[in-house]
């Protein structure tokens, strides 16, 4: 009996370059002897014999080998015609070793992506594209399996390879949807835990094994295969937190004290198979520590999958996969869930600015510049040796925006700190003349990236009310944290890099020289309310030879600790939300190293214990006193008492709550010389209690101060009708509050 398949279609199938192998494989209605019949074809390389099995009737029909490479065919009469719709038949194959396998035929199942899905993907507005692309558990015609889909429009062919098919690209070639360029295949009987990649054949013949851009899990590096994972089975218990968040629990008038953490080096698992702790163990220890210290939020350096541990996660390959270094996606869900149940918010670093060139990643995904620009003047990042996303391409914007929404949706993340925003905004970022291409108007602004950032912020805030977006943006770009309808970029908050740089520069001066640099402190209040600022002392300030913050402080041992306590006290009383990198809160001496855990042994010393105790008390003060967090972004929350005393390096100011009568007085002495009988004007008379003093002996200080407080006199000073006389301790901050009871 002759074959019913076009001989010219066989070679593309057996050599793996057919755009739609369904045209050859699977069930096909044919004319046989003047009546309809069914031809079922299967490509089973390495198989010696094959049968078509009808499990309902308990019957099997031998299949003819119609090509020596392993292409088989069976012609069935009308009695089996309904299997084309029912997908009920199976294939049985025997290899040369006599091993027998029975399976459903993946080419008997219809495509699962709808025309509407494909339309939205092409438009770049399929906000839940992570529900369609990648690997998803599905049940089709009563058969369980995994549906795979990937965007690779310029590939000649794409196959799924994995441990289930011997990593043989010939066995599971995918169907291409034209014109969107999305490839799809349902593999019946596949289950969670299956290892897989996409084998992408570029036009011209080069075949590359690629990770799934939408893969939810991956092997532990340096292995690179993806793992099929079901993200819908975890039972969340953070309903109260999520309800409060949606109602304003993360509002900008709430306290926000962020503890930035690199999970791999906060603490080590010294007795485990790897030195990394599991997400679940980290959850319990970090939550207990944050509660002890009074931090409101954790910010995690990138936890998406990355091949090189030394990149700290900022060179991401698996944008949708939690790194397997610390466990499974479900383990990370437990981490977030446990934090929420115990009142701790979780922010993560997100990196849409660039991606690495690793062969198995996004770079040249289908043999062309797909996710990146082809021109290196647009597509190469000179600082990091990475690729720059093509923000003008709909599918790329969709990939990134969906990714942001994915973390908020599937993992209940409370906010995203967007890395390296400045590098996205400017076409000439870190480039010399001739190394960049101007925009359509001849300017240096990256119009496509700006449009993407606005769209990203709009979708995040619209779809997940109460979540935060935070920009690490180091230039004077206007309106970063202003709504898009007012012309801003739409971020909730912006890191105040200017404040951080000026403040650390000031503190590195010997106190005797600080009088000449007073403006490095006062300048921040000129622009403090132009954005919604977070004050960051992040990991970037304690790496690359800068040393730990404690080590950056001038003076002898006593002065170093006093300066560090002064630095944090000034940060916590200055307008803006707060962020501190792990280890800084107890005065680590060593520069941070991702390969080593923090120097927890230092806490045996009273000096380091003192810094830690003070940070816990600062956080408590910050949370309890509304004047320190309610009005961070408007001038009504801050008022200078005296900013001109450069000769003595003293600053004093008021912080006010939404109720302006609820205020605190802050006085900072940036020299090691105590100032006695120092007069400050205050708004009203009465008793002012000293509620905080960074020089307390409890923190390791000299215990100079004003406890329990001072009485205001009806004596004008600093333009106010009342005044108080204080003792300002050396290198310290004191906080006083009127007692009206």
């Amino acid at each position: 009996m002759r074959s019913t398949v076009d001989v010219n279609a066989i070679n593309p199938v057996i050599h793996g370059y057919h755009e739609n192998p369904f045209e050859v494989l699977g069930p096909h209605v044919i004319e046989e002897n003047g009546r309809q019949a069914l031809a079922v074809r299967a490509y089973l390389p390495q198989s010696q014999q094959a049968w078509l099995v009808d499990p309902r009737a308990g019957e099997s029909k031998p299949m003819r080998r119609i090509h020596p490479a392993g292409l088989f065919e069976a012609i069935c009469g009308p009695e089996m015609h309904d299997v084309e719709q029912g997908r009920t038949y199976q294939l049985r194959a025997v290899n040369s070793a006599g091993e027998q396998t029975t399976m459903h035929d993946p080419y008997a199942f219809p495509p699962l992506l709808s025309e509407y899905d494909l339309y939205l993907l092409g438009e770049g507005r399929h906000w839940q594209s992570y529900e369609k692309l990648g690997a998803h558990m599905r049940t089709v015609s009563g058969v369980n399996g995994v549906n795979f889909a990937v965007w690779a429009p310029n590939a000649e062919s794409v196959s799924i390879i994995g441990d289930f098919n011997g990593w043989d690209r010939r066995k599971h070639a995918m169907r291409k949807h034209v014109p969107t360029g999305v490839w799809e295949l349902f593999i019946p009987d596949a289950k969670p835990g299956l290892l897989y990649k996409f084998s992408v054949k570029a036009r011209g013949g080069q075949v590359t094994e690629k990770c799934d851009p939408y893969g939810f899990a991956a092997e532990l590096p340096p292995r690179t295969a993806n793992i099929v994972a079901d993200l819908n089975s975890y039972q969340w218990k953070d309903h109260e937190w999520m309800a409060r968040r949606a109602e304003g629990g993360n509002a900008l008038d709430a306290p926000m004290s962020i503890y930035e953490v690199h999970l791999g080096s906060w603490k080590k698992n010294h007795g485990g198979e790897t030195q990394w702790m599991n997400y679940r163990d980290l959850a319990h220890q970090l939550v207990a520590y944050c509660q002890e210290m009074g931090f409101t939020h954790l910010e995690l350096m990138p936890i998406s999958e990355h091949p090189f541990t030394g990149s700290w996660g900022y060179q991401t390959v698996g944008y949708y996969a939690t790194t397997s270094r610390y466990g499974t996606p479900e383990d990370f869900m437990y981490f977030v869930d446990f934090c929420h149940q115990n009142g701790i918010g979780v922010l993560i670093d997100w990196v849409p600015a660039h991606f690495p060139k690793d062969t198995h990643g996004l770079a040249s995904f289908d043999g062309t510049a797909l996710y990146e620009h082809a021109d290196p003047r647009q597509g190469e990042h000179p600082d990091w040796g990475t690729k720059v996303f093509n923000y003008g391409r709909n599918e790329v914007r969709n990939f990134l925006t969906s990714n942001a929404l994915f973390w908020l949706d599937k993992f209940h993340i409370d906010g995203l700190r967007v890395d390296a925003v400045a590098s996205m905004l400017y076409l000439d970022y870190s480039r010399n003349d001739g190394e960049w291409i101007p925009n359509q108007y001849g300017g240096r602004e990256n119009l496509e990236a700006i449009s993407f950032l606005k769209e990203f912020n709009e979708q995040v805030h619209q779809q997940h009310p109460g979540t935060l977006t935070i920009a690490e943006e180091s230039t004077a770009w206007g309106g970063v944290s202003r709504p898009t309808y007012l012309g801003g970029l739409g971020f909730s908050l912006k890191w105040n890099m200017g404040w951080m740089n000026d403040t650390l520069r000031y503190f590195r001066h010997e106190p005797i020289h600080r009088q000449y640099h007073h403006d490095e402190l006062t300048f921040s209040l000129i622009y403090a309310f132009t954005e919604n600022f977070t004050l960051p002392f992040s990991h970037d300030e304690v790496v690359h030879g800068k040393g730990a913050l404690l080590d950056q402080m001038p003076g002898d041992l006593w002065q170093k600790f006093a300066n560090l306590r002064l630095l944090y006290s000034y940060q916590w009383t200055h307008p803006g939300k707060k962020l501190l990198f792990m280890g800084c809160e107890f005065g680590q001496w060593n520069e941070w190293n991702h390969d080593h855990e923090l120097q927890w042994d230092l806490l045996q010393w009273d000096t380091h214990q003192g810094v830690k105790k003070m940070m816990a008390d600062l956080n408590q003060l910050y949370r309890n006193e509304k004047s320190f967090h309610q009005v961070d972004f408007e001038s009504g929350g801050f008022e200078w008492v005296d900013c001109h005393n450069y000769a003595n390096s003293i600053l004093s100011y008021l912080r006010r709550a939404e109720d302006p009568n609820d205020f605190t007085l802050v006085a900072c002495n940036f020299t090691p010389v105590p100032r006695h009988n120092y007069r400050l004007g205050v708004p009203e008379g009465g008793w002012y209690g000293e509620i905080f003093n960074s020089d307390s002996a409890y923190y390791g200080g000299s215990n100079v101060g004003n406890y329990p407080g001072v009485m205001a006199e009806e004596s004008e000073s600093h333009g106010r009708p009342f005044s108080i006389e204080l003792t300002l301790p050396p290198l310290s901050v004191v906080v006083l509050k009127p007692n009206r009871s």
Side-chain angles (χ1 to χ4, degrees), residues 15 27 34 86 106 158 166 224 232 270 283 287 293 329 387 404 406 411 472 494 520 655 709 719 730 732:
H15 293 295
V158 181
T224 57
N232 299 315
H270 298 289
V287 162
M293 296 300 296
K387 296 287 188 180
F406 165 81
F411 290 94
E472 185 211 14
K494 172 181 172 175
E520 292 177 359
R655 293 297 312 275
S732 64

Side-chain angles (χ1 to χ4, degrees), residues 279-297:
Y279 290 116
R280 294 174 185 257
D281 297 327
L282 282 162
H284 287 266
Q285 295 197 33
L286 270 169
V287 162
Y289 190 70
C290 284
Q291 290 177 329
E292 175 192 355
M293 296 300 296
F295 290 104
T296 64
H297 290 73

Side-chain angles (χ1 to χ4, degrees), residues 551-703:
D551 198 36
Q552 295 178 43
M553 299 296 105
D556 58 22
L557 188 64
W558 185 90
Q559 287 195 32
K560 282 183 178 292
F561 278 97
N563 269 305
L564 191 68
R565 295 194 304 269
L566 169 61
L567 175 68
Y568 297 157
S569 303
Y570 171 62
Q571 177 187 14
W572 252 246
T573 57
H574 189 287
K577 306 309 179 186
K578 324 300 177 189
L579 180 141
L580 193 63
F581 184 58
M582 65 180 196
C584 297
E585 78 280 5
F586 62 80
Q588 173 156 314
W589 275 114
N590 290 350
E591 180 174 282
W592 173 58
N593 185 327
H594 68 273
D595 284 329
H596 302 291
E597 72 174 8
L598 299 182
Q599 293 180 281
W600 296 105
D601 59 312
L602 292 176
L603 289 172
Q604 65 184 301
W605 304 102
D606 292 341
T607 47
H608 295 277
Q609 277 285 357
V611 176
K612 180 172 178 279
K613 291 174 183 176
M614 189 203 71
M615 283 307 310
D617 285 355
L618 262 181
N619 273 326
Q620 184 177 14
L621 175 74
Y622 171 67
R623 295 171 80 157
N624 292 344
E625 292 297 331
K626 296 177 181 179
S627 60
F628 284 130
H629 63 254
Q630 276 193 338
V631 191
D632 268 325
F633 310 126
E634 297 175 12
S635 59
F638 179 90
E639 184 180 332
W640 284 117
V641 175
D642 186 4
C643 64
H644 300 297
N645 192 351
Y646 64 89
N648 292 316
S649 299
I650 291 173
L651 290 178
S652 51
Y653 44 88
L654 301 175
R655 293 297 312 275
R656 296 186 186 272
E658 289 178 356
D659 175 0
N661 294 315
D662 182 358
F663 68 88
T664 45
L665 170 68
V666 181
C668 311
N669 179 8
F670 294 93
T671 71
V673 180
R675 309 290 178 179
H676 299 286
N677 305 316
Y678 191 85
R679 186 168 293 275
L680 287 175
V682 291
E684 61 184 59
W687 178 261
Y688 283 73
E690 186 179 78
I691 60 175
F692 177 80
N693 183 342
S694 69
D695 192 51
S696 167
Y698 182 64
Y699 308 140
S702 58
N703 222 32

